[in-house]
Amino acid sequence: MEGGALALPHFRSRVGIGSPILLSADPGAARRSSGASGRSRVSRVNPGAYPRSAGRGRTWKRDSPEAPPRRSGITRVPNRSPEMPTERAGRTKVSNVNLEVSHHRAVAAVRLLRIEKGKAFVDLLNEKGNSSGENEMSYVERTLGFSIRCLDNRDIRLVTVIVAGTVRWKRYLDYLIMSLCSEEKVFREMEPLLLQILRIGFFEILKLNVPAYAAVDENVRLAKVALRPGAGNLVNAILRKLLLLKEANSLPLPKIEGDDRAQARALSIIYSHPVWMVRRWIRFLGKEEALKLMKWNNSDPHFSIRVNTANGYTRADLIDRLESLQVHYEKSTMDEFVRIQEGMQTVLQAGLLKEGMCAVQDESAGLVVSVVDPQPGETIIDCCAAPGGKTLFMAARLSGQGKIWALDINKGRLRILMEAAKLHNLDAMISDIHADLRLYAKETTATFDKVLLDAPCSGLGVLSKRADLRWNRQFEDLEELMCLQDELLDSASMLVKPGGILVYSTCSIDPEENEHRIAAFVQRHPDFVLQSVHGYVPAEFVTDEGFYSSSPTKHSIDGAFAARLVRSVL
């Protein structure tokens, strides 16, 4: 489940912190092991690295987002000019910084390329004191053939906004780009780098309201320098055509008509979501709520910060620091949390996470811990613990009395969890277990007062924070995940003492991953009885069946689910 608290080591591994731009040379490796749940990824993305010469003349066919109406426009991608030097074409590594291009757009284009191949994160956040941007700069230089200067905070913010927004709106942008080409083949065979530059230009014009001259001129220049003059001419022609259509309020969009499937296809383009998600949400939520959810997913994400009481800090201390940093905040209904929409970069650079004052954790995850209700002196096992946010929060609530076992199949992420525990002064209360829960439950004789299974899931409740996740999920993934969730629930139940508590949670809003899994579990295990979460979380989060459920559109936090089950004493 996504949404666990992230102290600095966790936050680094999740969003790519470590240099002014990127922590590791291959952050995709961590992501592929984490997935939406932070633990198990079911993805159809090809993890292979894109060619070093990606975007330079290769034929790269892609699926059509939807067949748009035929419109007059560009019929081919211009060939490289024979007079163009190879250095300008981006084939030779150049040591000097190129001052002709917009550097934040250059980084955004390369990052979009890497995201599409599963090798990068969307986020560009950095921590004060890390002065080297060599990783990201080397990716840019290898891909484009020239160097750029290190990005300042404003540049990093721009890259993050452009990349996240372009990824969210990819289906919508691609439909429009293809609509402005007279032949679908032009779009399908467009060079990857050229497509990313066009996506950036379209996003800036349509969603960021960047001045037309800047969006056109800067992206044209980037295409000319990184590719060739002809590519710049193509970008110029398509962007200027887009501007004319925008001014005339005549952008080509599909009509919402026909049967349910046809309407879902149209909505999937307009709101840039996979068709299967749109159809599923309309089925379970109704059309009005489905549209609200898609709008939420396309908005800039909100973040919550949890103060680390184990280190002696209070929320008042955290608020004082935020005010001194001029970071706008809102108090949460949960005593340990505050909300911020902008200023995460400032929080990171000020070292608040590094010094163990706080962790990044959504309130939805904090409410799951409230469902567990850790009490001093209890023994608790977190069965899929990494990245460890809930583990740390539960340990903090034990007030120095009791024990938490953090179990996870990923040894590297467990190591990061324990580093965070030490940072939060909780390492004496947490022990790690590197194991597959299904095997561990069969081999151990240990039982616990409380067992938390924060299960691997689709992550459909956190799509506003995970801009790329919607494109990395397939309908078929749900069936695989549900089978895994059932297996893990059966195993976790073996670890509960008679009279003990089992809590099952996800960061999904899909009933088949949530309520349906609990109903099936209770049928298989009559010795477990559902206990209402009423009294553990505010009433607005309690469903009629007694489950905890948070909704992005209703509560303005991540979507999450939790069920509390009691094992009979007999």
Side-chain angles (χ1 to χ4, degrees), residues 17 31-32 43 55 67 70 128 160 184 192-193 219 259 305 313 357 412 415 426 457 478 480 513 528 537 550:
I17 305 165
R31 164 159 287 190
R32 289 191 298 276
S43 175
R70 298 297 187 194
K128 185 177 181 180
T160 302
E184 182 178 323
L193 179 58
N219 286 293
D259 59 17
I305 300 177
Y313 296 108
M357 185 178 199
R415 177 182 53 78
L426 292 167
C457 68
L478 289 180
E480 296 178 27
E513 293 187 88
F528 280 86
V537 298
S550 60

PDB file of all heavy atoms in Angstrom, residues 17 31-32 43 55 67 70 128 160 184 192-193 219 259 305 313 357 412 415 426 457 478 480 513 528 537 550:
ATOM      1  N   ILE A  17      15.704  11.200  -4.403  1.00  0.00           N
ATOM      2  CA  ILE A  17      16.502  12.256  -3.809  1.00  0.00           C
ATOM      3  C   ILE A  17      17.908  11.747  -3.566  1.00  0.00           C
ATOM      4  O   ILE A  17      18.110  10.597  -3.266  1.00  0.00           O
ATOM      5  CB  ILE A  17      15.894  12.683  -2.456  1.00  0.00           C
ATOM      6  CG1 ILE A  17      14.430  13.082  -2.678  1.00  0.00           C
ATOM      7  CG2 ILE A  17      16.662  13.790  -1.815  1.00  0.00           C
ATOM      8  CD1 ILE A  17      13.687  13.166  -1.411  1.00  0.00           C
ATOM      9  N   ARG A  31      11.803   1.212  -8.110  1.00  0.00           N
ATOM     10  CA  ARG A  31      10.392   1.319  -8.414  1.00  0.00           C
ATOM     11  C   ARG A  31       9.812   0.002  -8.873  1.00  0.00           C
ATOM     12  O   ARG A  31       8.719  -0.378  -8.498  1.00  0.00           O
ATOM     13  CB  ARG A  31      10.167   2.394  -9.481  1.00  0.00           C
ATOM     14  CG  ARG A  31       8.800   2.285 -10.126  1.00  0.00           C
ATOM     15  CD  ARG A  31       8.374   3.565 -10.779  1.00  0.00           C
ATOM     16  NE  ARG A  31       8.028   4.529  -9.770  1.00  0.00           N
ATOM     17  CZ  ARG A  31       7.436   5.668 -10.044  1.00  0.00           C
ATOM     18  NH1 ARG A  31       7.136   5.985 -11.259  1.00  0.00           N
ATOM     19  NH2 ARG A  31       7.154   6.521  -9.077  1.00  0.00           N
ATOM     20  N   ARG A  32      10.576  -0.725  -9.695  1.00  0.00           N
ATOM     21  CA  ARG A  32      10.029  -1.974 -10.191  1.00  0.00           C
ATOM     22  C   ARG A  32       9.805  -2.960  -9.051  1.00  0.00           C
ATOM     23  O   ARG A  32       8.960  -3.832  -9.137  1.00  0.00           O
ATOM     24  CB  ARG A  32      10.956  -2.579 -11.254  1.00  0.00           C
ATOM     25  CG  ARG A  32      10.949  -1.786 -12.553  1.00  0.00           C
ATOM     26  CD  ARG A  32      11.662  -2.564 -13.648  1.00  0.00           C
ATOM     27  NE  ARG A  32      13.055  -2.817 -13.345  1.00  0.00           N
ATOM     28  CZ  ARG A  32      14.012  -1.955 -13.587  1.00  0.00           C
ATOM     29  NH1 ARG A  32      13.743  -0.765 -14.087  1.00  0.00           N
ATOM     30  NH2 ARG A  32      15.265  -2.245 -13.320  1.00  0.00           N
ATOM     31  N   SER A  43       3.270  -5.069 -13.373  1.00  0.00           N
ATOM     32  CA  SER A  43       3.372  -4.041 -14.389  1.00  0.00           C
ATOM     33  C   SER A  43       3.671  -4.645 -15.737  1.00  0.00           C
ATOM     34  O   SER A  43       4.321  -5.674 -15.857  1.00  0.00           O
ATOM     35  CB  SER A  43       4.470  -3.046 -14.011  1.00  0.00           C
ATOM     36  OG  SER A  43       4.664  -2.118 -15.041  1.00  0.00           O
ATOM     37  N   GLY A  55      15.496   8.792 -29.981  1.00  0.00           N
ATOM     38  CA  GLY A  55      15.010  10.082 -30.441  1.00  0.00           C
ATOM     39  C   GLY A  55      15.774  10.598 -31.627  1.00  0.00           C
ATOM     40  O   GLY A  55      15.543  11.704 -32.075  1.00  0.00           O
ATOM     41  N   ALA A  67      -8.314   6.780 -32.652  1.00  0.00           N
ATOM     42  CA  ALA A  67      -8.248   7.309 -34.011  1.00  0.00           C
ATOM     43  C   ALA A  67      -8.974   8.638 -34.059  1.00  0.00           C
ATOM     44  O   ALA A  67     -10.186   8.689 -33.893  1.00  0.00           O
ATOM     45  CB  ALA A  67      -8.871   6.321 -34.978  1.00  0.00           C
ATOM     46  N   ARG A  70      -9.503  12.935 -39.237  1.00  0.00           N
ATOM     47  CA  ARG A  70      -8.419  13.322 -40.137  1.00  0.00           C
ATOM     48  C   ARG A  70      -8.414  14.824 -40.306  1.00  0.00           C
ATOM     49  O   ARG A  70      -9.439  15.448 -40.570  1.00  0.00           O
ATOM     50  CB  ARG A  70      -8.601  12.650 -41.506  1.00  0.00           C
ATOM     51  CG  ARG A  70      -8.546  11.135 -41.436  1.00  0.00           C
ATOM     52  CD  ARG A  70      -7.189  10.671 -40.969  1.00  0.00           C
ATOM     53  NE  ARG A  70      -7.094   9.222 -41.068  1.00  0.00           N
ATOM     54  CZ  ARG A  70      -6.143   8.531 -40.497  1.00  0.00           C
ATOM     55  NH1 ARG A  70      -5.231   9.123 -39.790  1.00  0.00           N
ATOM     56  NH2 ARG A  70      -6.110   7.225 -40.640  1.00  0.00           N
ATOM     57  N   LYS A 128      19.076  19.520   0.933  1.00  0.00           N
ATOM     58  CA  LYS A 128      20.188  20.444   1.111  1.00  0.00           C
ATOM     59  C   LYS A 128      21.455  19.681   1.473  1.00  0.00           C
ATOM     60  O   LYS A 128      21.452  18.758   2.257  1.00  0.00           O
ATOM     61  CB  LYS A 128      19.856  21.439   2.231  1.00  0.00           C
ATOM     62  CG  LYS A 128      20.900  22.526   2.425  1.00  0.00           C
ATOM     63  CD  LYS A 128      20.460  23.501   3.490  1.00  0.00           C
ATOM     64  CE  LYS A 128      21.478  24.607   3.680  1.00  0.00           C
ATOM     65  NZ  LYS A 128      21.062  25.565   4.719  1.00  0.00           N
ATOM     66  N   THR A 160       9.478  19.261 -12.267  1.00  0.00           N
ATOM     67  CA  THR A 160       8.524  18.396 -11.583  1.00  0.00           C
ATOM     68  C   THR A 160       7.103  18.651 -12.066  1.00  0.00           C
ATOM     69  O   THR A 160       6.346  17.713 -12.336  1.00  0.00           O
ATOM     70  CB  THR A 160       8.599  18.612 -10.063  1.00  0.00           C
ATOM     71  OG1 THR A 160       9.928  18.356  -9.616  1.00  0.00           O
ATOM     72  CG2 THR A 160       7.649  17.682  -9.332  1.00  0.00           C
ATOM     73  N   GLU A 184      -2.034   8.954 -39.325  1.00  0.00           N
ATOM     74  CA  GLU A 184      -1.733   8.319 -38.040  1.00  0.00           C
ATOM     75  C   GLU A 184      -0.300   7.800 -38.004  1.00  0.00           C
ATOM     76  O   GLU A 184       0.341   7.775 -36.964  1.00  0.00           O
ATOM     77  CB  GLU A 184      -2.712   7.176 -37.799  1.00  0.00           C
ATOM     78  CG  GLU A 184      -2.532   6.477 -36.469  1.00  0.00           C
ATOM     79  CD  GLU A 184      -3.548   5.381 -36.259  1.00  0.00           C
ATOM     80  OE1 GLU A 184      -4.713   5.555 -36.682  1.00  0.00           O
ATOM     81  OE2 GLU A 184      -3.177   4.340 -35.675  1.00  0.00           O
ATOM     82  N   PRO A 192      10.940   9.121 -30.293  1.00  0.00           N
ATOM     83  CA  PRO A 192      10.556   9.292 -28.890  1.00  0.00           C
ATOM     84  C   PRO A 192      10.875  10.682 -28.333  1.00  0.00           C
ATOM     85  O   PRO A 192      10.038  11.279 -27.652  1.00  0.00           O
ATOM     86  CB  PRO A 192      11.359   8.207 -28.167  1.00  0.00           C
ATOM     87  CG  PRO A 192      11.562   7.155 -29.196  1.00  0.00           C
ATOM     88  CD  PRO A 192      11.720   7.883 -30.494  1.00  0.00           C
ATOM     89  N   LEU A 193      12.067  11.192 -28.588  1.00  0.00           N
ATOM     90  CA  LEU A 193      12.418  12.502 -28.051  1.00  0.00           C
ATOM     91  C   LEU A 193      11.564  13.599 -28.659  1.00  0.00           C
ATOM     92  O   LEU A 193      11.136  14.527 -27.963  1.00  0.00           O
ATOM     93  CB  LEU A 193      13.909  12.793 -28.295  1.00  0.00           C
ATOM     94  CG  LEU A 193      14.412  14.147 -27.789  1.00  0.00           C
ATOM     95  CD1 LEU A 193      14.174  14.281 -26.281  1.00  0.00           C
ATOM     96  CD2 LEU A 193      15.893  14.327 -28.115  1.00  0.00           C
ATOM     97  N   ASN A 219      10.604  25.230 -27.192  1.00  0.00           N
ATOM     98  CA  ASN A 219      10.525  23.835 -27.597  1.00  0.00           C
ATOM     99  C   ASN A 219      11.018  23.621 -29.016  1.00  0.00           C
ATOM    100  O   ASN A 219      11.597  22.573 -29.323  1.00  0.00           O
ATOM    101  CB  ASN A 219       9.087  23.320 -27.426  1.00  0.00           C
ATOM    102  CG  ASN A 219       8.726  23.087 -25.968  1.00  0.00           C
ATOM    103  OD1 ASN A 219       9.271  22.208 -25.316  1.00  0.00           O
ATOM    104  ND2 ASN A 219       7.822  23.898 -25.443  1.00  0.00           N
ATOM    105  N   ASP A 259     -22.836   3.932 -26.851  1.00  0.00           N
ATOM    106  CA  ASP A 259     -23.060   3.035 -25.723  1.00  0.00           C
ATOM    107  C   ASP A 259     -22.060   3.318 -24.607  1.00  0.00           C
ATOM    108  O   ASP A 259     -21.214   4.213 -24.709  1.00  0.00           O
ATOM    109  CB  ASP A 259     -22.981   1.576 -26.170  1.00  0.00           C
ATOM    110  CG  ASP A 259     -21.634   1.221 -26.794  1.00  0.00           C
ATOM    111  OD1 ASP A 259     -20.663   1.971 -26.606  1.00  0.00           O
ATOM    112  OD2 ASP A 259     -21.559   0.172 -27.477  1.00  0.00           O
ATOM    113  N   ILE A 305       2.536  15.945   6.432  1.00  0.00           N
ATOM    114  CA  ILE A 305       3.760  15.690   7.178  1.00  0.00           C
ATOM    115  C   ILE A 305       3.381  15.304   8.595  1.00  0.00           C
ATOM    116  O   ILE A 305       2.552  15.965   9.234  1.00  0.00           O
ATOM    117  CB  ILE A 305       4.673  16.930   7.204  1.00  0.00           C
ATOM    118  CG1 ILE A 305       5.069  17.323   5.788  1.00  0.00           C
ATOM    119  CG2 ILE A 305       5.923  16.675   8.031  1.00  0.00           C
ATOM    120  CD1 ILE A 305       5.907  18.585   5.726  1.00  0.00           C
ATOM    121  N   TYR A 313       9.543  15.893  19.542  1.00  0.00           N
ATOM    122  CA  TYR A 313       8.952  17.043  18.861  1.00  0.00           C
ATOM    123  C   TYR A 313       7.430  17.021  19.005  1.00  0.00           C
ATOM    124  O   TYR A 313       6.810  15.968  19.156  1.00  0.00           O
ATOM    125  CB  TYR A 313       9.303  17.040  17.374  1.00  0.00           C
ATOM    126  CG  TYR A 313      10.772  17.200  17.081  1.00  0.00           C
ATOM    127  CD1 TYR A 313      11.523  16.117  16.622  1.00  0.00           C
ATOM    128  CD2 TYR A 313      11.406  18.433  17.246  1.00  0.00           C
ATOM    129  CE1 TYR A 313      12.874  16.249  16.341  1.00  0.00           C
ATOM    130  CE2 TYR A 313      12.752  18.577  16.962  1.00  0.00           C
ATOM    131  CZ  TYR A 313      13.482  17.486  16.510  1.00  0.00           C
ATOM    132  OH  TYR A 313      14.812  17.631  16.231  1.00  0.00           O
ATOM    133  N   MET A 357      12.844  15.214  12.453  1.00  0.00           N
ATOM    134  CA  MET A 357      11.751  15.978  13.044  1.00  0.00           C
ATOM    135  C   MET A 357      10.392  15.501  12.536  1.00  0.00           C
ATOM    136  O   MET A 357       9.395  15.559  13.259  1.00  0.00           O
ATOM    137  CB  MET A 357      11.908  17.468  12.726  1.00  0.00           C
ATOM    138  CG  MET A 357      10.880  18.352  13.402  1.00  0.00           C
ATOM    139  SD  MET A 357      11.134  20.104  13.046  1.00  0.00           S
ATOM    140  CE  MET A 357      10.201  20.845  14.381  1.00  0.00           C
ATOM    141  N   GLY A 412      16.666  -5.036   0.877  1.00  0.00           N
ATOM    142  CA  GLY A 412      17.183  -3.676   0.746  1.00  0.00           C
ATOM    143  C   GLY A 412      16.245  -2.650   1.339  1.00  0.00           C
ATOM    144  O   GLY A 412      16.669  -1.701   2.006  1.00  0.00           O
ATOM    145  N   ARG A 415      16.402  -2.669   5.063  1.00  0.00           N
ATOM    146  CA  ARG A 415      17.567  -1.930   5.548  1.00  0.00           C
ATOM    147  C   ARG A 415      17.265  -0.435   5.617  1.00  0.00           C
ATOM    148  O   ARG A 415      17.603   0.239   6.599  1.00  0.00           O
ATOM    149  CB  ARG A 415      18.763  -2.188   4.627  1.00  0.00           C
ATOM    150  CG  ARG A 415      20.014  -1.398   5.019  1.00  0.00           C
ATOM    151  CD  ARG A 415      21.146  -1.644   4.042  1.00  0.00           C
ATOM    152  NE  ARG A 415      20.753  -1.405   2.661  1.00  0.00           N
ATOM    153  CZ  ARG A 415      20.647  -0.182   2.130  1.00  0.00           C
ATOM    154  NH1 ARG A 415      20.885   0.885   2.865  1.00  0.00           N
ATOM    155  NH2 ARG A 415      20.293  -0.044   0.860  1.00  0.00           N
ATOM    156  N   LEU A 426      13.743   5.045  17.126  1.00  0.00           N
ATOM    157  CA  LEU A 426      12.809   3.953  17.369  1.00  0.00           C
ATOM    158  C   LEU A 426      13.431   2.586  17.096  1.00  0.00           C
ATOM    159  O   LEU A 426      12.738   1.571  17.120  1.00  0.00           O
ATOM    160  CB  LEU A 426      11.564   4.119  16.480  1.00  0.00           C
ATOM    161  CG  LEU A 426      10.659   5.309  16.797  1.00  0.00           C
ATOM    162  CD1 LEU A 426       9.661   5.527  15.658  1.00  0.00           C
ATOM    163  CD2 LEU A 426       9.919   5.099  18.116  1.00  0.00           C
ATOM    164  N   CYS A 457      -1.279  -3.787  -3.595  1.00  0.00           N
ATOM    165  CA  CYS A 457      -2.567  -3.504  -4.227  1.00  0.00           C
ATOM    166  C   CYS A 457      -2.363  -2.700  -5.503  1.00  0.00           C
ATOM    167  O   CYS A 457      -1.236  -2.381  -5.879  1.00  0.00           O
ATOM    168  CB  CYS A 457      -3.483  -2.760  -3.259  1.00  0.00           C
ATOM    169  SG  CYS A 457      -2.928  -1.077  -2.883  1.00  0.00           S
ATOM    170  N   LEU A 478      -5.457  -6.738 -11.596  1.00  0.00           N
ATOM    171  CA  LEU A 478      -6.321  -6.848 -10.430  1.00  0.00           C
ATOM    172  C   LEU A 478      -6.532  -8.299 -10.020  1.00  0.00           C
ATOM    173  O   LEU A 478      -6.509  -8.631  -8.835  1.00  0.00           O
ATOM    174  CB  LEU A 478      -7.667  -6.170 -10.706  1.00  0.00           C
ATOM    175  CG  LEU A 478      -7.655  -4.644 -10.773  1.00  0.00           C
ATOM    176  CD1 LEU A 478      -9.057  -4.125 -11.053  1.00  0.00           C
ATOM    177  CD2 LEU A 478      -7.131  -4.055  -9.472  1.00  0.00           C
ATOM    178  N   GLU A 480      -4.553 -10.854 -10.534  1.00  0.00           N
ATOM    179  CA  GLU A 480      -3.318 -11.356  -9.930  1.00  0.00           C
ATOM    180  C   GLU A 480      -3.165 -10.841  -8.505  1.00  0.00           C
ATOM    181  O   GLU A 480      -2.779 -11.580  -7.594  1.00  0.00           O
ATOM    182  CB  GLU A 480      -2.124 -10.930 -10.778  1.00  0.00           C
ATOM    183  CG  GLU A 480      -2.105 -11.511 -12.183  1.00  0.00           C
ATOM    184  CD  GLU A 480      -0.923 -10.999 -12.988  1.00  0.00           C
ATOM    185  OE1 GLU A 480       0.095 -10.650 -12.372  1.00  0.00           O
ATOM    186  OE2 GLU A 480      -1.024 -10.943 -14.228  1.00  0.00           O
ATOM    187  N   GLU A 513     -10.749  -5.389  -4.211  1.00  0.00           N
ATOM    188  CA  GLU A 513      -9.513  -5.524  -3.440  1.00  0.00           C
ATOM    189  C   GLU A 513      -9.764  -5.314  -1.954  1.00  0.00           C
ATOM    190  O   GLU A 513      -8.894  -5.641  -1.145  1.00  0.00           O
ATOM    191  CB  GLU A 513      -8.472  -4.510  -3.924  1.00  0.00           C
ATOM    192  CG  GLU A 513      -7.954  -4.722  -5.324  1.00  0.00           C
ATOM    193  CD  GLU A 513      -6.827  -3.779  -5.645  1.00  0.00           C
ATOM    194  OE1 GLU A 513      -5.661  -4.118  -5.353  1.00  0.00           O
ATOM    195  OE2 GLU A 513      -7.110  -2.684  -6.184  1.00  0.00           O
ATOM    196  N   PHE A 528     -12.590 -15.788  12.746  1.00  0.00           N
ATOM    197  CA  PHE A 528     -12.373 -14.338  12.752  1.00  0.00           C
ATOM    198  C   PHE A 528     -13.704 -13.618  12.558  1.00  0.00           C
ATOM    199  O   PHE A 528     -14.515 -13.996  11.702  1.00  0.00           O
ATOM    200  CB  PHE A 528     -11.411 -13.936  11.629  1.00  0.00           C
ATOM    201  CG  PHE A 528      -9.957 -14.161  11.973  1.00  0.00           C
ATOM    202  CD1 PHE A 528      -9.363 -15.393  11.761  1.00  0.00           C
ATOM    203  CD2 PHE A 528      -9.186 -13.132  12.511  1.00  0.00           C
ATOM    204  CE1 PHE A 528      -8.032 -15.609  12.066  1.00  0.00           C
ATOM    205  CE2 PHE A 528      -7.851 -13.328  12.825  1.00  0.00           C
ATOM    206  CZ  PHE A 528      -7.269 -14.572  12.617  1.00  0.00           C
ATOM    207  N   VAL A 537     -11.495   5.668  14.339  1.00  0.00           N
ATOM    208  CA  VAL A 537     -11.321   6.754  13.363  1.00  0.00           C
ATOM    209  C   VAL A 537     -12.572   7.621  13.393  1.00  0.00           C
ATOM    210  O   VAL A 537     -13.635   7.179  13.859  1.00  0.00           O
ATOM    211  CB  VAL A 537     -11.086   6.202  11.936  1.00  0.00           C
ATOM    212  CG1 VAL A 537      -9.806   5.385  11.875  1.00  0.00           C
ATOM    213  CG2 VAL A 537     -12.265   5.383  11.447  1.00  0.00           C
ATOM    214  N   SER A 550     -11.297   5.912   3.118  1.00  0.00           N
ATOM    215  CA  SER A 550     -11.088   7.328   2.812  1.00  0.00           C
ATOM    216  C   SER A 550     -11.216   7.522   1.309  1.00  0.00           C
ATOM    217  O   SER A 550     -10.808   6.674   0.517  1.00  0.00           O
ATOM    218  CB  SER A 550      -9.711   7.798   3.289  1.00  0.00           C
ATOM    219  OG  SER A 550      -8.667   7.067   2.675  1.00  0.00           O
TER     220      SER A 550
END
